Amino acid sequence: MRGYWTFAALALAGCSAEQAPAPEQEDAPIVLKAGQWTLSRTITGYNTPDITAEDYARMVGTKTEAKLCIAVGKDGRPDADALARPEGKDCTYKDASIRKGRFIATLACKADGGTSELVLEGNYTPESLTLGSSMTKTVGGKAVLRTTHDLSGKRTGDCAAG
């Protein structure tokens, strides 16, 4: 009978113990897809040391569109030059947090006799992105241009061969 009571006590102890919660499954990563993209950029702010009200009014609201083949690295970072153009070239990521549909990055670029730094922040899916962009261009240690943009993009297919 003693074996029965031991078994019953263990069974009851098992019932009263809390079960550990199942580990949460992490969502599949959201990764931008490489390929042919159409990027649209609208200037929302434009400032230089000597800008006139007329120049500001002429620049703000200007829209441009570019069709680009964008590569995406193994780290999920899209080509920095594609995101920076036309405000910089030979760009590198200073820092980036690109995960779960959120994109925050700082790019360092060369720009017409100086450098430009772009801060990008927004949301993305594998085939679209919507970012705010803030750029400061510096020549000879002095800021000569500051712009802000709304940047949106849509993947339109694979890149043409060649």
Side-chain angles (χ1 to χ4, degrees):
M1 191 69 158
R2 180 177 174 184
Y4 172 79
W5 291 112
T6 304
F7 174 77
L10 289 174
L12 286 175
C15 289
S16 66
E18 287 188 33
Q19 296 223 343
E24 290 185 31
Q25 285 187 330
E26 189 164 323
D27 296 333
I30 300 171
V31 179
L32 282 166
K33 287 185 179 179
Q36 188 70 33
W37 283 72
T38 298
L39 296 180
S40 299
R41 185 181 307 268
T42 302
I43 297 174
T44 57
Y46 188 91
N47 291 294
T48 66
D50 56 355
I51 193 164
T52 65
E54 294 80 22
D55 288 340
Y56 183 85
R58 182 176 47 81
M59 294 304 293
V60 171
T62 300
K63 296 179 182 184
T64 58
E65 185 175 282
K67 296 179 187 304
L68 310 165
C69 184
I70 299 178
V72 177
K74 291 180 183 179
D75 56 6
R77 295 176 179 185
D79 177 52
D81 282 354
L83 296 178
R85 70 182 288 170
E87 296 186 311
K89 61 184 177 182
D90 299 327
C91 301
T92 58
Y93 281 89
K94 288 177 70 175
D95 59 56
S97 174
I98 304 171
R99 64 186 296 263
K100 294 188 176 187
R102 210 51 203 138
F103 188 104
I104 303 169
T106 303
L107 308 178
C109 308
K110 293 178 184 174
D112 300 328
T115 60
S116 63
E117 182 173 282
L118 286 86
V119 177
L120 303 163
E121 183 172 353
N123 300 307
Y124 70 94
T125 70
E127 298 197 12
S128 68
L129 57 84
T130 303
L131 305 174
S133 169
S134 178
M135 186 278 302
T136 301
K137 179 180 174 184
T138 305
V139 175
K142 294 183 180 184
V144 296
L145 176 62
R146 286 195 168 97
T147 64
T148 55
H149 294 87
D150 288 336
L151 175 64
S152 62
K154 180 135 183 77
R155 186 177 185 277
T156 58
D158 294 330
C159 294

